[in-house]
């Protein structure tokens, strides 16, 4: 139950290059279904946390919003697999499954470091999907996309570090919670760390 949702897609994708023909197709069709069953079995408000040095990481936090996005991403993953059954290139197939798993994992991330890891995994895997066309233009576009996405990840990480270090030592937390808005603190008052995190989300959204 502590295995993050989407992990079965990420780990299962590693077996795709080893499989051939109908066995590969069946395996790819099974992965989104197994991953969904794993996610659906998690209890509401479930938290999966562990300590790393003096930080507490929560790679699994189940709430109604994460469940909505988890369902949406699993449907998209299954439809993508069905659409790609004719594709023979294992790089595309592996990257597509890992991208889906990373997106699902990000939706359930309960801390900012876990979010950063999945954030970068979606960036890296999606670049391989862009490069799959194997044209000069695709390589240029993919490289530009990678620079922008990795750049947004660096901004996110810088924001996380500033946000974490700016908290009182005894109260430091990496929990992925609301940092401005309804808690009475505006974005302008929240500090540079929160502003950088907001900027990173804006770049990612674009």
């Amino acid at each position: 139950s502590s295995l993050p949702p989407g992990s079965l897609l990420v780990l299962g994708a590693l077996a795709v290059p080893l499989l051939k023909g109908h066995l590969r197709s069946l395996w790819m069709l099974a992965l989104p279904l197994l991953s969904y069953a794993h996610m659906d079995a998690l209890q509401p408000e479930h938290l999966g946390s562990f300590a790393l040095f003096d930080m507490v990481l929560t790679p699994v936090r189940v709430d109604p919003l994460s469940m909505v996005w988890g369902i949406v991403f699993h449907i998209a993953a299954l439809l993508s697999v069905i659409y790609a059954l004719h594709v023979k290139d294992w790089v595309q197939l592996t990257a597509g499954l890992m991208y889906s798993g990373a997106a699902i994992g990000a939706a359930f991330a309960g801390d900012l470091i876990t979010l950063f890891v999945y954030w970068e995994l979606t960036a890296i895997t999606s670049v391989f999907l862009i490069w799959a066309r194997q044209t000069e233009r695709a390589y240029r576009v993919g490289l530009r996309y990678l620079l922008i996405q990795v750049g947004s990840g660096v901004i996110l990480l810088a924001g996380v570090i500033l946000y974490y270090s700016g908290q009182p030592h005894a109260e430091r937390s990496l929990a992925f919670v609301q940092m401005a808005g309804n808690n009475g603190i505006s974005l302008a008052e929240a500090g540079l760390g929160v502003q950088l995190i907001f900027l990173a989300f804006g770049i990612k959204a674009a």
Side-chain angles (χ1 to χ4, degrees):
S1 62
S2 60
L3 188 68
S7 297
L8 293 180
L9 284 168
V10 175
L11 297 175
L14 299 176
V16 169
L18 307 176
L19 304 174
K20 303 293 182 182
H22 293 304
L23 184 58
R24 173 189 283 179
S25 298
L26 289 173
W27 176 249
M28 291 181 58
L29 287 169
L31 282 176
L33 300 176
L34 292 171
S35 180
Y36 178 83
H38 165 249
M39 180 194 73
D40 191 54
L42 294 174
Q43 298 298 315
E45 308 305 322
H46 171 79
L47 290 175
S49 302
F50 67 93
L52 180 66
F53 302 112
D54 60 342
M55 302 177 293
V56 176
L57 302 184
T58 308
V60 184
R61 183 183 67 195
V62 181
D63 57 50
L65 186 58
S66 63
M67 287 299 293
V68 168
W69 285 108
I71 293 170
V72 170
F73 288 150
H74 274 100
I75 292 173
L78 181 60
L79 292 176
S80 297
V81 167
I82 294 172
Y83 179 79
L85 286 177
H86 68 284
V87 175
K88 305 301 181 184
D89 181 10
W90 64 266
V91 175
Q92 292 185 61
L93 301 176
T94 302
L97 287 170
M98 293 186 75
Y99 178 89
S100 299
I104 294 165
F108 286 86
D111 69 87
L112 293 166
I113 295 298
T114 299
L115 176 66
F116 169 76
V117 171
Y118 284 123
W119 183 293
E120 292 298 271
L121 186 56
T122 59
I124 294 170
T125 51
S126 56
V127 166
F128 283 99
L129 296 175
I130 297 172
W131 282 342
R133 188 173 291 273
Q134 298 182 358
T135 64
E136 184 63 31
R137 183 170 183 269
Y139 286 123
R140 291 199 309 270
V141 171
L143 184 59
R144 184 169 68 246
Y145 178 87
L146 181 62
L147 290 173
I148 292 172
Q149 292 298 325
V150 171
S152 71
V154 171
I155 293 172
L156 173 65
L157 184 60
V160 170
I161 293 172
L162 289 174
Y163 171 72
Y164 181 77
S165 61
Q167 301 175 48
H169 186 76
E171 302 175 10
R172 285 180 176 175
S173 171
L174 287 167
F176 188 15
V177 296
Q178 186 171 0
M179 303 172 188
N182 291 337
N183 54 9
I185 301 175
S186 68
L187 182 62
E189 300 169 328
L192 180 60
V194 175
Q195 292 165 6
L196 288 176
I197 293 171
F198 181 79
L199 175 61
F201 268 83
I203 297 172
K204 190 73 167 181

